[in-house]
């Protein structure tokens, strides 16, 4: 009874991930694990696209994408969320060049009712945004809505407004919102890959 939750996790449950400064606590991690399911289909590069549900005609979908270089230790990923049900219905994780990732994102978006596509635009993400404009994907998220409304030409200013930028100024806000929707069970994450990432994701200096 004199032990903290972290000490109990480490000493009694042998759960060293939950005993550290993990982003999610053990209750939240248990919830995420309980919602994971085996994909009903795998396709794409190295079968990296995992599908749990196909698109429903009257549902709206959102795709968030994180972009890596394609040949290093990091992975490019995307998550398709059904905004009607709050479910993760599709996910990609793999090493793929940015231009090919853009084409894959367009294909996934097309399969999910022209989903609203929101790529990270930092670094290599800018190349993904450029390619998405080049191939004419129609439902991109813009930070400045005037570009979406006016249908401006694919100039550098417009491309810079596609997607979102992750940095020190908004990283904590993004993570705080993710923790909130998981804690309140407003989202159902189906992927064991996502669960494994969250299980080992720790706070560094609480930032």
């Amino acid at each position: 009874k004199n032990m903290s939750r972290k000490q109990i996790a480490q000493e009694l449950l042998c759960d060293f991930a939950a005993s550290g400064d993990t982003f999610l606590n053990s209750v939240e991690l248990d919830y995420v694990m309980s919602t994971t399911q085996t994909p009903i289909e795998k396709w794409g590069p190295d079968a990296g696209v995992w599908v749990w549900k196909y698109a429903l005609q009257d549902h709206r979908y959102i795709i968030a994408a994180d972009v890596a270089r394609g040949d290093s230790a990091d992975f490019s990923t995307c998550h398709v969320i059904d905004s009607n049900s709050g479910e993760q219905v599709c996910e990609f994780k793999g090493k793929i060049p940015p231009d090919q990732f853009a084409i894959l994102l367009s294909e996934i978006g097309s399969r999910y009712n022209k989903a609203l596509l929101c790529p990270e635009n930092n670094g290599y993400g800018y190349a993904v945004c450029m390619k998405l404009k080049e191939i004419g994907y129609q439902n991109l998220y813009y930070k400045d809505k005037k570009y979406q409304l006016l249908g401006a030409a694919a100039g550098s200013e417009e491309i810079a407004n596609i997607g979102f930028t992750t940095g020190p100024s908004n990283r904590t806000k993004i993570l705080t919102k993710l923790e909130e929707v998981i804690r309140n069970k407003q989202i159902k994450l189906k992927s064991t890959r996502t669960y494994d990432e969250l299980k080992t994701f720790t706070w560094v200096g609480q930032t």
Side-chain angles (χ1 to χ4, degrees):
K1 67 181 180 180
N2 294 321
M3 299 173 70
S4 68
R5 177 177 60 80
K6 292 181 180 180
Q7 289 173 320
I8 292 171
Q10 180 173 332
E11 301 298 331
L12 302 181
L13 303 179
C14 299
D15 187 349
F16 292 93
S19 67
D21 290 324
T22 49
F23 168 61
L24 299 178
N25 64 38
S26 57
V27 174
E28 293 160 351
L29 286 171
D30 286 345
Y31 165 69
V32 174
M33 183 175 65
S34 73
T35 61
T36 59
Q37 295 180 2
T38 302
I40 60 174
E41 182 186 3
K42 295 181 181 180
W43 62 275
D46 299 319
V49 179
W50 290 9
V51 178
W52 291 273
K53 286 189 176 182
Y54 299 116
L56 297 174
Q57 186 174 4
D58 58 342
H59 281 219
R60 299 177 65 184
Y61 298 90
I62 300 170
I63 301 176
D66 183 28
V67 186
R69 189 173 67 186
D71 60 354
S72 61
D74 203 5
F75 293 87
S76 287
T77 61
C78 77
H79 301 273
V80 185
I81 304 298
D82 182 335
S83 62
N84 294 74
S85 65
E87 292 178 286
Q88 179 189 37
V89 294
C90 180
E91 174 194 74
F92 169 75
K93 180 179 180 181
K95 296 181 180 180
I96 183 172
D99 61 323
Q100 295 180 20
F101 187 35
I103 294 171
L104 179 64
L105 288 170
S106 178
E107 172 65 21
I108 295 172
S110 297
R111 294 190 183 202
Y112 285 92
N113 303 341
K114 285 291 182 184
L116 178 64
L117 178 51
C118 184
E120 184 181 23
N121 60 19
N122 304 49
Y124 297 103
Y126 190 84
V128 169
C129 295
M130 287 181 62
K131 190 66 176 181
L132 286 167
K133 284 299 300 182
E134 178 187 321
I135 63 180
Y137 190 80
Q138 294 296 311
N139 195 16
L140 296 170
Y141 172 83
Y142 288 84
K143 292 179 288 185
D144 188 337
K145 295 298 182 183
K146 73 178 181 181
Y147 293 100
Q148 190 170 29
L149 294 173
L150 297 176
S156 59
E157 185 179 358
E158 181 197 12
I159 293 172
N161 272 278
I162 296 172
F164 68 97
T165 302
T166 303
S169 64
N170 64 0
R171 184 173 184 269
T172 298
K173 294 178 183 178
I174 293 168
L175 292 175
T176 299
K177 189 63 179 180
L178 176 60
E179 187 277 335
E180 177 187 322
V181 297
I182 291 175
R183 172 167 39 83
N184 292 323
K185 301 182 179 179
Q186 295 171 322
I187 190 169
K188 295 179 181 178
L189 298 172
K190 303 295 184 67
S191 174
T192 54
R193 296 184 299 196
T194 303
Y195 169 71
D196 288 339
E197 291 284 345
L198 291 172
K199 186 172 63 173
T200 58
F201 182 40
T202 58
W203 293 100
V204 178
Q206 299 301 315
T207 60

